[in-house]
Amino acid sequence: MTHPVPAPRAQGVTPVLPVVAVVVVLALPLGPGGGGPGPADALSALVVVYCAVRLLRGRRRPLPRTAAVVFGLPVVALALAAVTAVSPAAGLSGLGRYLQVFVLVPLAVLLLIRDRRDFRLPAWALVGLAVWQGAVGVHQYVTRTGASYQGQPVRAVGTFGAQDVMGMATVVSLGLVCALGLALGRAPLRERLVAAGFVLVLLPPLALSFSRGAWIATAVACTVQLLLAGLRRALAAGAVVAAAAVVLAGGFGVGQSMLQERVGSITRVTDAPDQSVTDRYTMWAAAAGMWREQPLTGVGLKGFPEHRDSHASLALSSGSDTEGAGAAFRRQPLLSPHNMYLLVLAEQGLIGLLALAGGWLALLGCAVRGVWRVRRYGGPGLDCGLVACGLLVRLLTDFSYADIGGPSTVLTAVCLGLAAWWALAGGTVRPPAGRGPAPAAHGATEEAGAR
């Protein structure tokens, strides 16, 4: 006698659940002053092992050739940069971190996603994490228990604390981008309305993070998503978001004068920069100086702190002050240029930058082409494509004034994996023969009747 129930249950157990767990574990509060690898990093290593076991057991398809090139070239460049590091320990440490964020975890995510339904699980998990961290951040602002900003404990930092003031801003920004992509897709109306509601809910915590970089990266990513979704949708959604921002900032006084001053400072970064901007410009110049000395290979992984003082001007301060959100006053040293491209250029030279950034641009090109084909030929998964493109644009924009570091860095790897899946597997819609519907992409099939 056959039993039809077990088969669907076996198919319903998705291998992407460990990736969702990596996102969920970032909702846990961190200890005060905590740095270095955290629970999410450890769990991401287990995801890589889990994926490797599945591959060895022959249950997954091999990597596409494009993926082997995109993720293989950085391995060669990173190995060369590790050899030229200031010490073997620094080289191995830097090599492990870069491989985790830019190669191993993204590849694991790419291989564990089977279809568009699997893709949406981590995307919705990112939205849920953003809502949770945003709620904690808004509570910190209202109760004045956040990180110190202009001498007042009002900066929303979520559970990441003052030691990682960019953590909550990064999470909320990524969640907002995912929510907007899901809202602009072709899912049932109720699901799209829920996603659109989360977009509006995430605007206040993003504003109260007082992170200019997160604001800019989110705005650029959302603009690209709206344009890819279509001009009419872009105008309608843009008007709704603009109206919501006006109501939140004006009607409810979110951020008040502090927020207005922070927004205004974006246009004054060259005319009247504050100390944080001055430090950033100084470290950018130091990174450029390191690259000019070693243009091809750079100074080696983890080499920026060792060479910083010999290349930085006297305008550089000794560090940044952090306080509040349960942490005592602490002076954090400036150990990176806060620009991913310049960090790679300084430590890995042109070889490393071309290998890493070239792969990112290749993924972006393939992802945008996938969205264009889905819109033209009527294929499924428009929401997945918009999420993937938005996340990738957000990361590439953010890399202009930020680099990897902190507990939220593992989300960079997850987002790269999501973007890689859409670019290399999920968005490969072919023109249909005649005027019939477009066939589903290989490796991205869904059950009959799925949207």
Side-chain angles (χ1 to χ4, degrees), residues 237-379:
V240 172
V241 173
V246 171
V247 171
L248 290 170
F252 295 99
V254 175
Q256 299 174 351
S257 60
M258 288 185 179
L259 182 57
Q260 297 172 10
E261 188 278 334
R262 192 67 165 174
V263 172
S265 69
I266 295 177
T267 61
R268 301 195 304 269
V269 293
T270 55
D271 298 332
D274 54 31
Q275 185 58 48
S276 65
V277 175
T278 300
D279 287 339
R280 186 162 301 187
Y281 287 161
T282 304
M283 290 188 292
W284 287 1
M290 297 177 200
W291 168 68
R292 283 191 290 267
E293 288 187 0
Q294 300 288 339
L296 287 180
T297 60
V299 297
L301 294 179
K302 298 283 187 177
F304 182 86
E306 296 291 331
H307 295 81
R308 183 199 63 184
D309 292 340
S310 60
H311 292 83
S313 69
L314 296 178
L316 182 66
S317 65
S318 59
S320 60
D321 299 336
T322 62
E323 187 180 11
F329 176 83
R330 182 182 177 185
R331 188 78 169 165
Q332 288 189 328
L334 304 174
L335 302 179
S336 72
H338 294 291
N339 182 304
M340 193 66 212
Y341 305 110
L342 288 177
L343 177 62
V344 172
L345 196 62
E347 296 186 344
Q348 304 176 41
L350 281 174
I351 296 176
L353 183 63
L354 290 176
L356 279 171
W360 301 335
L361 291 177
L363 290 179
L364 180 59
C366 292
V368 171
R369 182 181 62 180
V371 172
W372 179 79
R373 287 184 172 181
V374 165
R375 287 192 58 202
R376 181 175 182 182
Y377 302 120

Side-chain angles (χ1 to χ4, degrees), residues 3 18 28 59 71 82 134 147 194 207 210 215 304 316 350 357 362 380 437:
H3 299 279
L28 301 175
R59 295 185 178 180
F71 292 104
V194 171
F210 296 105
W215 296 345
F304 182 86
L316 182 66
L350 281 174

